[in-house]
Amino acid sequence: METLKNKFREKASQLNAEIKDMLAKHGNMKLGEYTIEQIYSGMKGVIGLITETSKLDPLEGIRFRGFSIPELRQKLPKVKGSTEPLPEGLFYLLLIGEIPTEEDVKNITIDWQRRSNVPKHVFDVIDELPVNAHPMTQFVTGIMAMQTESEFAKAYDRGISKKEYWEYVYEDTMNLIARVPRVAAYVYRRKYKNNQHIEPNYNLDWGANFAHMLGYSDANFQNLMRLYLTIHADHEGGNVSAHTTHLVGSALSDPYLSLAAGLNGLAGPLHGLANQEVIKWIFQLKENLGGGLPTKEQIAEYIKKTLAEGKVVPGYGHAVLRKTDPRFTAQQEFYRTYIKHDDICEIVQMIYEVAPPILEATGKIKNPWPNVDAHSGALLVHYGMFEYDYYTVLFGVSRALGVLASLVWDRALGLPIERPGSVTTEWIKNYIQKQLAEQNK
Ligand code: CMX
């Protein structure tokens, strides 16, 4: 076995060196509309998807159906006394493309309450996992177990016309969104609160009821959940969780299978898991310094040490954004409005001052600014949610809104199975040779 591994190591190191050399010499060569460099760089900037629900601008950040986050914090319906939008309203906007009325939002809240019953076997399946399984593993396992409820899968099995697909995907979408907070809260209470579960409160909206089932009754934590679940929902179609949900759905895998696949992508540390990594990184920084508030110099040292160890600084950088993420700014505003002073949130502000020039000075990090994950954990810690390995589940509950709204559109538009072409490095080398020969003619 070791021989095989050693052989692979040799081959991989050889091909890596060849590719590095080839990209240095010919990375800018065009292959169709795009460069060879782009093909080896995760298709960044390559337009190959239709996503109706949102669009990301590198400098301005996300717009949901044309509305920025500050606009939506103003325009979307709220519960009385709250400054934060109801995620139900964002879902309506993503699906319909128009700002909902209070009545529209109320109807969604009631509809989701009506659909929210989670079958017992879902909890039984989660209970079979070791309690120390990562919360994302438990959450996704619950969603997979719930696939028994898919209306789309049943209808497809009966035999339906293509024109009807979206109607069943819509039903699954509404049922899933109604149920994921219950599954997510179950995982939290199972793992951290000694299996003491809390029944839903049907007088509350979707976000506040989720906060309630998690065990948080503070009105400002409910507000935080409404904001959190709104801003994490969608980030156009190319990010790993959205793209995966769309891709798997394109094979007509039902919404349960598609969402589970997308959430498995969200559980990667370069994507949604970065929210847990940020707080872990800040806690470690504090621990190294013996507790208390670090100075800016100490933070700068810690960032440099992280880079020197070949690790990423979590919460910073982005594949598309080239400025501070407006989702970070919205959370900063929440901090200033509702919390005003908190040590971990202050450390987040200090990192924001110190990190960008250091990251920029590396000369290779394209975006030295913070993304959504740089702030979210600090707010959660403030309200007493210290269990940072749970944070990506919160992201996942929100992400369900965006990726499932898109999935309904995918089927309504009859988008086909996705199947981009791929080539080998040998093929690219031959292509380069042909292009060079043409140029020399
Ligand atoms: N710390 C250290 N190095 C970083 C970095 C960071 N925060 N961000 C980028 N880099 C590095 C990359 O690893 C890459 O290094 P190599 O050339 O050695 O492979 C180089 O800089 C160029 O990368 P890039 O083009 O700027 O960034 P990518 O589009 O490849 O990656 C992202 C984007 C988000 C994965 C990256 O910035 C990163 O790893 N950030 C930290 C993790 C994080 O916060 N992820 C959450 C993103 C938001 C979300 O999806 O939730």
Side-chain angles (χ1 to χ4, degrees), residues 176-430:
L176 259 166
I177 295 173
R179 292 166 189 171
V180 284
R182 188 84 202 277
V183 177
Y186 188 87
V187 170
Y188 183 71
R189 304 290 306 179
R190 172 177 190 249
K191 189 166 166 76
Y192 309 107
K193 305 291 170 185
N194 210 19
N195 255 321
Q196 302 292 304
H197 298 287
I198 300 172
E199 287 300 306
N201 176 348
Y202 295 116
N203 295 317
L204 296 173
D205 53 275
W206 188 71
N209 186 36
F210 183 35
H212 159 77
M213 289 188 290
L214 288 167
Y216 293 81
S217 51
D218 187 317
N220 283 341
F221 186 82
Q222 293 183 349
N223 269 331
L224 175 64
M225 270 303 102
R226 293 182 187 115
L227 175 68
Y228 189 107
L229 296 170
T230 297
I231 63 177
H232 286 79
D234 210 29
H235 220 221
E236 75 170 37
N239 66 76
V240 172
S241 51
H243 187 189
T244 307
T245 307
H246 163 81
L247 171 67
V248 174
S250 85
L252 297 186
S253 304
D254 64 59
Y256 292 80
L257 301 174
S258 306
L259 176 65
L263 294 180
N264 280 323
L266 192 74
L270 297 188
H271 190 18
L273 204 82
N275 61 5
Q276 77 164 44
E277 295 301 298
V278 168
I279 285 300
K280 193 163 107 189
W281 187 80
I282 292 177
F283 282 177
Q284 276 166 3
L285 160 73
K286 282 191 77 188
E287 202 179 301
N288 286 352
L289 299 170
L293 262 188
T295 63
K296 285 185 192 164
E297 290 69 30
Q298 286 169 324
I299 291 175
E301 280 315 305
Y302 189 57
I303 293 169
K304 286 177 191 160
K305 180 171 170 283
T306 304
L307 293 173
E309 287 168 353
K311 299 176 189 161
V312 297
V313 176
Y316 279 75
H318 200 272
V320 180
L321 280 168
R322 294 295 176 257
K323 276 272 189 291
T324 298
D325 190 335
R327 301 173 298 176
F328 176 88
T329 312
Q331 296 179 87
Q332 240 184 351
E333 280 169 20
F334 185 95
Y335 168 54
R336 289 188 185 125
T337 310
Y338 289 101
I339 301 175
K340 298 189 173 69
H341 190 87
D342 174 280
D343 275 4
I344 304 287
C345 291
E346 283 307 311
I347 294 176
V348 167
Q349 315 310 313
M350 288 160 86
I351 299 169
Y352 185 32
E353 285 176 48
V354 171
I358 301 174
L359 298 180
E360 197 149 36
T362 63
K364 69 168 186 177
I365 299 172
K366 295 194 190 70
N367 178 38
W369 302 103
N371 58 58
V372 66
D373 302 315
H375 209 313
S376 54
L379 299 175
L380 297 167
V381 169
H382 173 78
Y383 290 104
M385 189 183 270
F386 297 98
E387 303 92 352
Y388 53 73
D389 56 352
Y390 184 76
Y391 294 171
T392 311
V393 176
L394 299 177
F395 196 155
V397 170
S398 173
R399 193 41 64 104
L401 298 174
V403 300
L404 290 173
S406 273
L407 204 61
V408 179
W409 271 106
D410 289 351
R411 296 293 74 78
L413 297 178
L415 296 184
I417 189 162
E418 198 171 284
R419 207 321 186 170
S422 75
V423 292
T424 61
T425 295
E426 198 54 37
W427 189 97
I428 294 275
K429 281 188 202 160
N430 289 336

